[in-house]
Amino acid sequence: MKRHLTLLICMMFLCQWMHAEDGSLLWLRQKGTAATSITSNKTTQTTSIAVNELKNAWKGLPVSLIIKKNKSLCKEGFMIEKKDGNIIVSSPTDKGILYGAYHLLRLQASNPDFKTTLPIIENPTYSLRLLNHWDNLDGTIERGYAGQSLWQWDELPETLSPRYETYARANASIGINGTVLNNVNASPQILSGPYLQKVKALADLFRPYGIRVYLSANFASPMVLGQLDTADPLNKQVIRWWKNKVKEIYQLIPDFGGFLVKANSEGQPGPCDFGRTHAEGANMLADALKPYKGIVMWRAFVYSPNDADRAKQAYQEFKPLDGMFRDNVIIQTKNGPVDFQPREPYSPLFTAIEHTDQMVELQVTQEYLGHSNHIAYLAPMWKEFFEFVPATTLKAIAGVANIGTDINWCGHPFAQSNWYAFGRLAWNPSLTSEEIADEWLKQTFSSKEEFLSPAKQIMLQSHEAVVDYMMPMGLHHLFAWGHHYGPEPWCAIPGARPDWMPSYYHKADAQGIGFDRSSKGSNAVAQYPTALAEKYNQLDTCPEEYILWFHHVAWNHPMKNGQSLWNNLCRHYDRGVQQVRLFQKLWDQTEKYVDEERFYEIQSSLKTQMRDAIWWKDACLLYFQTFSKMPFPTDMERPIHRLDDLKKVNLGISNYECPDEELLNRNR
Amino acid sequence: MKRHLTLLICMMFLCQWMHAEDGSLLWLRQKGTAATSITSNKTTQTTSIAVNELKNAWKGLPVSLIIKKNKSLCKEGFMIEKKDGNIIVSSPTDKGILYGAYHLLRLQASNPDFKTTLPIIENPTYSLRLLNHWDNLDGTIERGYAGQSLWQWDELPETLSPRYETYARANASIGINGTVLNNVNASPQILSGPYLQKVKALADLFRPYGIRVYLSANFASPMVLGQLDTADPLNKQVIRWWKNKVKEIYQLIPDFGGFLVKANSEGQPGPCDFGRTHAEGANMLADALKPYKGIVMWRAFVYSPNDADRAKQAYQEFKPLDGMFRDNVIIQTKNGPVDFQPREPYSPLFTAIEHTDQMVELQVTQEYLGHSNHIAYLAPMWKEFFEFVPATTLKAIAGVANIGTDINWCGHPFAQSNWYAFGRLAWNPSLTSEEIADEWLKQTFSSKEEFLSPAKQIMLQSHEAVVDYMMPMGLHHLFAWGHHYGPEPWCAIPGARPDWMPSYYHKADAQGIGFDRSSKGSNAVAQYPTALAEKYNQLDTCPEEYILWFHHVAWNHPMKNGQSLWNNLCRHYDRGVQQVRLFQKLWDQTEKYVDEERFYEIQSSLKTQMRDAIWWKDACLLYFQTFSKMPFPTDMERPIHRLDDLKKVNLGISNYECPDEELLNRNR
């Protein structure tokens, strides 16, 4: 009887615990020992949060939180030191104290010997570390694969979801200090009175966590909301409308961050509609924001279906405007010159713009990396960017969020790591991918070496695997029409924009494959600094991971390993597939160390990733083989699909959806 | 211009040749040199066929065909010798001459040095070498996966399809000398006057090729056709009806072979319906046939949903009747005690019946071996049977045909090899699987070593691969309900016969898996000769390839390699999958040596086989894992499917269909 009771209690506990493990806690899972004393020399909303976080999660020595000047610290910086058996966290600001508290908890979780490393001083590399939400006011998220928008616009400002607070905690814990709430394809309504009340509610809630609110502004807002018949940035009525609107905003939200603007891009209105330049448009907004210390983040993601190579267009349009922007304008440019492809060379704008502040826009949501079905840890990709664009040359950093209403926030448990890694790299771009993975895994899953070793291997190799099975060697934009999930290198929609077709990018023909951007082709290479331009321009010096980005290469061209381009291409695709097979094995090794729910969820999603990897490999290689007419290397795993069958696949999902299992099963 | 013309001519030739290669020529592809002289000392329809075949295909020395007595030869035997620069084929009969001519052509194709091996004497091991067609009168074929029935009943007897002649040639070339035209689930109509006229037309056509016609008889025919109110074999009216019917048949077809009967089996009528034994039923028919030298082939494939282990029932029913059959009755038994599973131990009836003639029924059509989608060369499976049942203990041999209206006869180009191998083994069961594969490949594709080596490797390993990815270690009947193509180990149809459910056979539970047929279980082992019974009865002496046939084995039971049963089971499934991957690679190596059509057709069907192998592995292992609760061996390839998804698969095909690509794609 007693034994049965014990069993019953165990089972109840297990059930409760099992029920609890839905991933909603993110990396904020530590439970403290109540005995520890936390003292603070000043009590604000922000320091109270810090105290509470430590009270809930700190297990060690007494901690004092002290706000004091310290020349070695910038406003958001902090120092952690040991003194007389106590830990002291100090900072010039309460925000820095909060960051210090979170850092202390991170150290506790990730480094058992951290005390020997004290004192530690941390200052953020960028003062602006922003999330961009591509959330629409109707609750959908463009390129969001974790459910609907977090913002319950219908319920705001009266009702505040408890998730907002967790969102703020999570961001603060990794140093994110700004959030652009709405999609860059912006509805003008966000600037309407009722919506600003809702925005204010969120801003008030986020403020103690050190998070400022920003908004994406639709450049035609004065026409839509103000009934003006123009949005010409030089028009006085327009200027006045914006000044008044900005004033209205700051009356509600005194620390409002500013505007993010997608103008004259993919159909969005902008100053060019009125014969003005991007600079004139941005400056008009900047002038309105200036008195309040607000900023304009003006996106350089522009291209149109003209003769020029799409990869060159942002440079062509923005380089001549360099130096013509107000000092509270930052040009926000995607890391690569096309569009968040699995691998791109860096956008040459970063090294070309010299007299205007710049920021990089990274994509945390996996628009082109298997949505929230594939494991693709993106720190290695972002680190690659920083190898070319020194972190110090940027003013700020933004990440397109992967957060939604899904109980685990990001759709895939491992997708949380990209939110985490973005924040950590925004704070300190010199952290290694491995350090961040280690921190995140320990806080999110387990510190056991038996778990860490396989899990970290998966994470660190995952981005390269996706590149390999989707678009290796500089291939890009082979995605299916509409959604950007599956392969469709053959895609040909009658009458569609040529620069939205895969063939525009891969240019496969009987001779070879790849986009000739050398001096013999579109000469996009010339947009890079001379040394790099020369390197990229020559077939034999161009790095092989970019070779089909910059060159149209003959199928039988001998690569560095002595084998043909075709064989190398095949081997990359095959390696990608084999890597996912390995990830499956590695993940299975973690079973004993992971809760059942997340173990099976990830095991299950790896099956999807596995089938997708095969799908990608088969689709791309079988299609390209119709041009190369060359056999697969003899030792390579063979296709299991027929090209004709794959051409019939139609997932039928939108920009706002992640394909679900049933859909994937029905279609493949 | 000249170059263009040459190219044009080449292309025309190529197109014609390409169009020609549809597999319809089977292994009868040799083209002779017209100069060779062929002489025959007697001209009959049969010897004329021999002369013509040689004229069309012989490339060498002059050949003489001589009919003469020779004590070392049985009626159908032949001798091939070299004399004075000529080749002489001799036989006591013109049928033997025909076989000799075909053998000479086979030697020409398969052994360039055959002349050094002369003289050769060949006698068939069995005098009865029969195909069984499970063809229905409506044109469907039960378990046929190569289109519709060859027999155009609507057009017979007036119109004779040219395919009948090719069918006869193909059979004669491998020594098949009898064909049962209709399904064992027989329509009584086959014995009606109009149908007998049709049968006569076929018999007349096949006769010169040495092929006798047989029919499957429905035991209730006297009731259906003769309006009798019984089919009781001891009833005088019934006896008279059959005597008259047999007489009618022999008036039309003087060399009619006899009847094949499926009685009291799976719903077919039989003597037991009238309180009589199988022997009484068979003897009544045998008496009617006796005056004409006709025979009865009485099938021992009987089982009913009673308490007894299905694998024991045929023995239980037939062993007591041993010695009670007329001497022109042959008991026809399937090779295994259940039903043509990928691997079964031999049916113990073969060693138990001592006083009645027996014949084995092998299945050429791949009912349980991937239909005509998978490569499964069956000679190794049949050779396994002969290791247990000495060929000399059998009177005859029958093979359930895999032939249909498909242009390539058998659905899959490699399925032709099973027709071929069946004939060759029926002639000489001591031929090795490799010898037969070698002969068939050389005649059907190419003699080039570069082709033969990979192709032969595929063939010789193919059966074991199917066993591995479908039902290794003695597992059996895990097939989906209705069709026998995909896996459905979980199958549970409410109210269905338990012995038609996979769980009846695998008996997986928390402890282990397998059917306990040891002395502690159903004691089916006792039906085997003592030495074998003892070997099978002990878990540690039972061969591992039969272990789950004879034992319910604990998941963690250590096998010979020291690993658990579960791990071994996993490794078998995985090996099956890896083997198909290898077959894909091996086949791709043959591209240069094979015509484009067959190369791509086989390459394409290997993709289906590959996906099916993964499907089988995932379905069986994921399902059995719900019982074993044990992890997959760490180095094994991981599943790519979810059990829940696989449980939803419903191919929706009948007993008469092979699943096509679209269906397979839609469902998986």
Side-chain angles (χ1 to χ4, degrees):
Chain A
M1 183 61 204
K2 194 178 158 194
R3 202 171 138 204
H4 281 131
L5 196 66
T6 314
L7 192 70
L8 189 69
I9 291 167
C10 283
M11 282 178 65
M12 284 170 65
F13 178 79
L14 201 66
C15 285
Q16 194 182 24
W17 176 75
M18 283 167 66
H19 180 72
E21 190 40 84
D22 52 19
S24 60
L25 295 178
L26 295 161
W27 48 87
L28 304 164
R29 294 166 175 269
Q30 297 187 77
K31 295 264 172 276
T33 46
T36 311
S37 80
I38 317 287
T39 59
S40 173
N41 75 333
K42 190 180 162 193
T43 301
T44 66
Q45 273 189 291
T46 301
T47 58
S48 295
I49 294 168
V51 168
N52 280 334
E53 292 284 9
L54 288 174
K55 274 193 177 158
N56 289 333
W58 182 246
K59 300 179 170 90
L61 305 168
V63 176
S64 296
L65 304 172
I66 299 170
I67 297 172
K68 62 173 181 187
K69 289 274 173 219
N70 177 336
K71 277 187 224 161
S72 63
L73 296 176
C74 56
K75 270 202 221 165
E76 297 176 310
F78 57 83
M79 177 157 83
I80 303 178
E81 58 195 315
K82 222 172 87 177
K83 205 170 174 185
D84 306 331
N86 281 19
I87 303 266
I88 298 170
V89 180
S90 60
S91 168
T93 63
D94 50 357
K95 217 166 138 186
I97 288 292
L98 181 61
Y99 292 146
Y102 280 120
H103 194 69
L104 186 57
L105 291 174
R106 177 162 42 242
L107 291 172
Q108 169 179 268
S110 61
N111 183 359
D113 303 323
F114 80 91
K115 286 185 207 103
T116 64
T117 68
L118 301 181
I120 287 172
I121 288 177
E122 288 260 343
N123 287 304
T125 301
Y126 304 113
S127 57
L128 298 173
R129 307 175 297 277
L130 271 62
L131 281 185
N132 289 181
H133 289 271
W134 286 359
D135 291 20
N136 298 315
L137 302 188
D138 65 1
T140 58
I141 307 178
E142 187 163 335
R143 313 304 179 182
Y145 314 111
Q148 294 286 99
S149 171
L150 217 54
W151 322 129
Q152 308 288 320
W153 296 114
D154 290 349
E155 300 180 357
L156 285 165
E158 291 79 14
T159 310
L160 296 172
S161 156
R163 293 204 110 197
Y164 301 156
E165 192 111 16
T166 313
Y167 166 86
R169 284 180 64 213
N171 279 329
S173 76
I174 51 176
I176 288 170
N177 67 0
T179 179
V180 182
L181 296 176
N182 62 318
N183 192 354
V184 288
N185 294 321
S187 164
Q189 293 309 321
I190 193 71
L191 298 180
S192 68
Y195 269 94
L196 289 177
Q197 290 294 339
K198 299 168 193 281
V199 173
K200 170 188 161 48
L202 290 172
D204 289 345
L205 198 152
F206 296 156
R207 191 171 296 108
Y209 291 90
I211 299 166
R212 280 189 175 185
V213 158
Y214 298 72
L215 293 174
S216 291
N218 183 304
F219 203 78
S221 296
M223 298 170 75
V224 181
L225 295 179
Q227 276 82 45
L228 302 189
D229 55 8
T230 180
D232 180 349
L234 302 194
N235 177 290
K236 285 185 182 169
Q237 282 183 295
V238 170
I239 294 168
R240 191 180 317 122
W241 188 89
W242 280 109
K243 280 198 169 166
N244 288 336
K245 180 52 72 181
V246 167
K247 185 177 176 189
E248 179 190 350
I249 295 173
Y250 277 93
Q251 277 167 349
L252 293 166
I253 309 162
D255 60 347
F256 178 71
F259 293 135
L260 171 62
V261 187
K262 174 177 181 177
N264 296 116
S265 163
E266 296 182 323
Q268 291 299 312
C272 310
D273 301 339
F274 310 96
R276 314 300 179 188
T277 67
H278 282 283
E280 288 167 321
N283 291 344
M284 179 273 291
L285 292 176
D287 289 342
L289 288 158
K290 182 78 177 175
Y292 312 96
K293 297 185 180 160
I295 61 165
V296 173
M297 295 165 289
W298 193 270
R299 292 175 91 237
F301 179 64
V302 295
Y303 65 101
S304 54
N306 61 28
D307 284 351
D309 172 6
R310 171 173 164 182
K312 292 168 62 181
Q313 294 186 35
Y315 179 108
Q316 288 173 328
E317 206 157 336
F318 278 82
K319 172 69 178 165
L321 302 174
D322 187 16
M324 300 171 73
F325 292 91
R326 299 284 188 271
D327 59 6
N328 61 334
V329 174
I330 310 178
I331 298 177
Q332 177 167 320
T333 306
K334 295 185 181 187
N335 56 296
V338 168
D339 189 10
F340 295 140
Q341 296 303 292
R343 169 168 283 130
E344 296 190 32
Y346 82 92
S347 167
L349 260 188
F350 287 108
T351 40
I353 296 286
E354 293 170 290
H355 310 293
T356 308
D357 283 338
Q358 288 193 86
M359 63 192 291
V360 62
E361 178 179 308
L362 303 173
Q363 196 178 40
V364 186
T365 191
Q366 292 168 233
E367 175 179 353
Y368 295 101
L369 288 129
H371 296 184
S372 287
N373 284 337
H374 296 200
I375 296 180
Y377 171 57
L378 299 179
M381 180 171 84
W382 300 330
K383 293 288 293 180
E384 227 170 81
F385 168 79
F386 287 116
E387 283 172 26
F388 293 90
V389 180
T392 50
T393 63
L394 299 176
K395 175 79 175 177
I397 181 165
V400 181
N402 63 350
I403 301 161
T405 50
D406 275 8
I407 187 71
N408 73 359
W409 298 89
C410 302
H412 192 298
F414 271 88
Q416 297 177 356
S417 69
N418 291 327
W419 179 7
Y420 183 88
F422 169 74
R424 295 292 288 139
L425 283 175
W427 181 274
N428 179 8
S430 69
L431 286 171
T432 68
S433 299
E434 187 168 3
E435 285 166 342
I436 299 171
D438 186 78
E439 282 179 6
W440 178 77
L441 284 169
K442 284 173 173 168
Q443 293 172 85
T444 309
F445 286 100
S446 162
S447 296
K448 286 228 169 67
E449 188 49 36
E450 295 90 332
F451 166 79
L452 287 171
S453 170
K456 219 184 290 177
Q457 190 180 344
I458 294 171
M459 287 179 76
L460 293 173
Q461 298 180 0
S462 61
H463 170 253
E464 198 65 35
V466 177
V467 171
D468 271 338
Y469 64 68
M470 283 188 182
M471 277 164 272
M473 306 189 83
L475 285 175
H476 49 296
H477 235 316
L478 307 182
F479 293 95
W481 182 258
H483 63 82
H484 290 147
Y485 188 78
E488 207 172 294
W490 50 78
C491 175
I493 308 279
R497 281 175 64 160
D499 56 342
W500 285 356
M501 294 294 170
S503 57
Y504 175 93
Y505 301 96
H506 65 68
K507 303 207 185 293
D509 58 23
Q511 282 68 52
I513 183 172
F515 196 130
D516 186 357
R517 294 187 168 111
S518 75
S519 54
K520 282 176 261 161
S522 80
N523 203 24
V525 290
Q527 296 183 340
Y528 288 91
T530 314
L532 215 49
E534 282 172 7
K535 186 176 173 189
Y536 291 165
N537 193 44
Q538 299 297 328
L539 191 53
D540 57 347
T541 55
C542 181
E544 290 191 351
E545 66 264 33
Y546 300 139
I547 202 145
L548 302 181
W549 185 283
F550 288 115
H551 295 276
H552 191 69
V553 186
W555 295 112
N556 59 2
H557 178 79
M559 305 297 290
K560 292 196 179 94
N561 62 2
Q563 294 187 32
S564 66
L565 168 74
W566 169 250
N567 271 24
N568 274 272
L569 195 64
C570 290
R571 288 185 187 288
H572 275 281
Y573 275 104
D574 194 43
R575 189 174 69 177
V577 164
Q578 302 313 325
Q579 280 289 87
V580 184
R581 290 204 198 291
L582 176 64
F583 298 163
Q584 287 193 290
K585 289 178 191 169
L586 290 168
W587 183 249
D588 279 1
Q589 290 176 23
T590 70
E591 182 164 9
K592 271 191 256 176
Y593 313 101
V594 182
D595 53 280
E596 209 170 280
E597 289 83 354
R598 287 185 299 173
F599 175 77
Y600 285 121
E601 186 184 347
I602 291 163
Q603 187 188 54
S604 177
S605 72
L606 274 166
K607 293 178 179 177
T608 303
Q609 186 169 1
M610 189 69 249
R611 281 178 286 139
D612 287 347
I614 298 168
W615 178 26
W616 269 96
K617 164 177 167 282
D618 286 4
C620 295
L621 288 183
L622 289 173
Y623 175 69
F624 292 138
Q625 195 179 40
T626 66
F627 298 99
S628 82
K629 314 275 188 203
M630 290 166 79
F632 299 123
T634 50
D635 55 349
M636 197 187 96
E637 185 175 305
R638 266 39 199 170
I640 63 171
H641 299 110
R642 292 171 192 78
L643 184 56
D644 287 347
D645 294 332
L646 295 177
K647 284 186 174 178
K648 288 179 207 145
V649 172
N650 180 2
L651 285 186
I653 53 168
S654 73
N655 297 347
Y656 308 105
E657 289 166 290
C658 193
D660 65 16
E661 248 349 274
E662 207 179 330
L663 209 59
L664 288 169
N665 282 325
R666 202 164 57 232
N667 274 281
R668 284 201 308 266
Chain B
M1 183 62 206
K2 195 178 158 193
R3 203 171 137 205
H4 282 131
L5 197 65
T6 313
L7 192 70
L8 190 69
I9 290 168
C10 283
M11 282 178 65
M12 283 169 65
F13 179 77
L14 201 66
C15 284
Q16 194 183 25
W17 175 75
M18 283 167 66
H19 180 73
E21 191 39 84
D22 51 20
S24 61
L25 294 178
L26 295 160
W27 49 86
L28 304 165
R29 294 166 176 270
Q30 297 187 75
K31 294 264 175 274
T33 45
T36 311
S37 81
I38 317 288
T39 58
S40 173
N41 75 334
K42 189 180 163 195
T43 302
T44 66
Q45 273 190 289
T46 302
T47 57
S48 297
I49 293 167
V51 168
N52 279 335
E53 292 285 10
L54 288 173
K55 275 192 177 158
N56 288 333
W58 183 244
K59 299 179 171 87
L61 303 169
V63 176
S64 295
L65 304 173
I66 298 169
I67 297 172
K68 64 174 181 188
K69 289 275 172 217
N70 177 337
K71 276 186 222 162
S72 63
L73 295 175
C74 56
K75 269 202 222 167
E76 296 176 310
F78 57 83
M79 179 158 81
I80 303 178
E81 58 196 316
K82 224 173 85 177
K83 205 170 173 183
D84 305 331
N86 281 19
I87 303 266
I88 297 169
V89 180
S90 59
S91 167
T93 62
D94 51 356
K95 216 166 140 185
I97 288 291
L98 181 61
Y99 292 146
Y102 280 120
H103 195 70
L104 187 56
L105 292 174
R106 178 162 41 242
L107 291 172
Q108 170 179 269
S110 61
N111 182 359
D113 303 323
F114 80 91
K115 285 185 209 104
T116 64
T117 68
L118 301 182
I120 287 173
I121 288 177
E122 289 260 343
N123 288 304
T125 300
Y126 303 113
S127 56
L128 298 173
R129 306 174 299 276
L130 271 62
L131 281 184
N132 290 357
H133 289 271
W134 286 359
D135 292 20
N136 299 314
L137 302 188
D138 66 359
T140 58
I141 307 180
E142 187 163 336
R143 313 303 179 183
Y145 313 111
Q148 294 286 98
S149 172
L150 217 54
W151 323 129
Q152 308 288 321
W153 295 114
D154 290 349
E155 299 180 358
L156 283 166
E158 291 79 13
T159 309
L160 297 170
S161 155
R163 294 203 110 198
Y164 300 155
E165 192 111 17
T166 314
Y167 167 85
R169 282 179 66 211
N171 278 330
S173 76
I174 52 176
I176 288 169
N177 67 0
T179 179
V180 183
L181 296 176
N182 62 317
N183 192 354
V184 288
N185 293 320
S187 164
Q189 294 307 320
I190 192 72
L191 298 181
S192 69
Y195 269 94
L196 289 176
Q197 290 294 337
K198 299 169 193 280
V199 172
K200 170 188 159 49
L202 291 172
D204 290 345
L205 197 152
F206 295 156
R207 191 170 296 111
Y209 290 90
I211 299 166
R212 281 188 175 186
V213 157
Y214 298 73
L215 293 175
S216 291
N218 184 303
F219 203 78
S221 296
M223 299 169 77
V224 180
L225 295 181
Q227 275 82 45
L228 301 188
D229 55 9
T230 180
D232 180 349
L234 303 194
N235 178 290
K236 284 185 184 168
Q237 281 183 295
V238 170
I239 294 168
R240 190 179 318 123
W241 188 89
W242 279 109
K243 280 198 170 166
N244 288 335
K245 181 52 72 181
V246 166
K247 185 177 175 190
E248 179 190 350
I249 295 172
Y250 278 92
Q251 278 167 348
L252 292 166
I253 309 162
D255 60 346
F256 177 70
F259 293 135
L260 171 63
V261 186
K262 174 178 182 177
N264 295 116
S265 163
E266 296 183 323
Q268 290 299 313
C272 311
D273 301 341
F274 310 96
R276 312 301 178 187
T277 67
H278 282 283
E280 288 168 320
N283 291 345
M284 180 273 292
L285 293 176
D287 290 342
L289 290 157
K290 182 78 176 175
Y292 311 95
K293 295 185 181 159
I295 61 165
V296 173
M297 295 165 288
W298 194 269
R299 292 174 92 236
F301 180 66
V302 296
Y303 64 101
S304 52
N306 61 27
D307 285 350
D309 173 4
R310 171 172 165 185
K312 291 168 64 181
Q313 295 185 35
Y315 179 109
Q316 288 173 328
E317 205 158 337
F318 277 83
K319 172 69 178 164
L321 302 174
D322 186 15
M324 300 170 73
F325 291 91
R326 299 283 187 271
D327 60 6
N328 62 332
V329 175
I330 311 177
I331 298 176
Q332 177 168 321
T333 306
K334 296 185 180 186
N335 56 296
V338 169
D339 189 11
F340 294 139
Q341 296 304 293
R343 170 169 281 130
E344 296 191 33
Y346 81 92
S347 167
L349 260 188
F350 287 108
T351 39
I353 296 286
E354 295 171 289
H355 310 295
T356 307
D357 283 337
Q358 289 193 85
M359 62 192 291
V360 63
E361 179 179 307
L362 303 173
Q363 196 179 40
V364 185
T365 191
Q366 292 167 234
E367 175 180 355
Y368 294 101
L369 288 129
H371 296 186
S372 287
N373 283 337
H374 296 200
I375 297 180
Y377 172 56
L378 299 180
M381 180 171 84
W382 299 330
K383 292 289 292 180
E384 229 169 79
F385 169 78
F386 287 116
E387 283 172 28
F388 293 91
V389 180
T392 49
T393 63
L394 299 175
K395 174 81 174 174
I397 181 166
V400 181
N402 63 349
I403 301 161
T405 48
D406 276 9
I407 187 74
N408 73 359
W409 298 89
C410 303
H412 192 298
F414 271 87
Q416 297 176 355
S417 69
N418 290 328
W419 179 6
Y420 183 88
F422 169 74
R424 294 292 288 139
L425 283 176
W427 181 274
N428 180 7
S430 69
L431 287 170
T432 67
S433 299
E434 186 168 3
E435 285 166 342
I436 299 171
D438 186 78
E439 283 179 6
W440 178 76
L441 284 168
K442 284 172 173 169
Q443 294 172 85
T444 309
F445 286 100
S446 161
S447 296
K448 286 227 170 67
E449 189 48 39
E450 296 90 334
F451 166 79
L452 287 171
S453 171
K456 217 184 292 178
Q457 190 181 344
I458 293 171
M459 286 179 76
L460 292 174
Q461 299 180 359
S462 61
H463 169 252
E464 199 65 36
V466 177
V467 171
D468 272 338
Y469 64 68
M470 282 187 181
M471 278 164 272
M473 306 188 84
L475 285 175
H476 48 297
H477 235 316
L478 307 182
F479 293 94
W481 182 259
H483 63 82
H484 291 148
Y485 187 78
E488 207 172 294
W490 49 79
C491 175
I493 308 279
R497 282 175 63 160
D499 56 342
W500 285 357
M501 294 293 171
S503 57
Y504 176 93
Y505 301 96
H506 65 67
K507 301 208 185 295
D509 58 24
Q511 283 68 51
I513 184 172
F515 196 131
D516 186 357
R517 294 188 168 110
S518 76
S519 53
K520 282 177 261 159
S522 80
N523 204 23
V525 289
Q527 295 184 341
Y528 289 90
T530 314
L532 216 48
E534 282 172 7
K535 187 176 172 189
Y536 292 164
N537 193 44
Q538 299 297 328
L539 192 52
D540 57 346
T541 55
C542 181
E544 289 191 352
E545 66 264 33
Y546 300 139
I547 202 144
L548 302 181
W549 185 282
F550 288 115
H551 294 276
H552 191 70
V553 185
W555 295 112
N556 59 4
H557 178 79
M559 305 298 290
K560 293 197 179 90
N561 62 1
Q563 293 185 32
S564 67
L565 168 74
W566 168 251
N567 271 24
N568 273 274
L569 195 65
C570 290
R571 288 187 186 289
H572 275 281
Y573 275 103
D574 195 42
R575 190 175 70 178
V577 164
Q578 302 313 324
Q579 281 289 85
V580 185
R581 289 204 198 291
L582 176 64
F583 298 163
Q584 287 192 290
K585 289 178 190 168
L586 289 168
W587 183 250
D588 279 2
Q589 291 176 22
T590 71
E591 181 164 9
K592 271 192 256 174
Y593 312 100
V594 182
D595 53 280
E596 210 171 280
E597 288 84 354
R598 287 185 299 173
F599 174 77
Y600 285 121
E601 187 184 347
I602 291 163
Q603 187 188 53
S604 177
S605 72
L606 275 167
K607 292 177 178 176
T608 304
Q609 186 169 1
M610 188 70 248
R611 282 178 286 137
D612 287 347
I614 299 168
W615 178 26
W616 269 97
K617 165 178 167 282
D618 286 4
C620 295
L621 288 183
L622 289 173
Y623 176 68
F624 292 138
Q625 195 179 39
T626 65
F627 298 99
S628 82
K629 313 277 187 202
M630 290 165 78
F632 299 124
T634 50
D635 54 349
M636 197 188 96
E637 186 175 306
R638 265 40 197 169
I640 64 172
H641 299 111
R642 291 172 193 80
L643 185 56
D644 287 348
D645 293 333
L646 294 177
K647 285 186 174 179
K648 288 179 207 145
V649 171
N650 180 2
L651 284 186
I653 52 168
S654 73
N655 298 345
Y656 309 106
E657 290 165 290
C658 192
D660 65 16
E661 247 350 274
E662 207 179 330
L663 209 57
L664 287 169
N665 282 324
R666 200 162 59 232
N667 275 281
R668 284 202 307 268

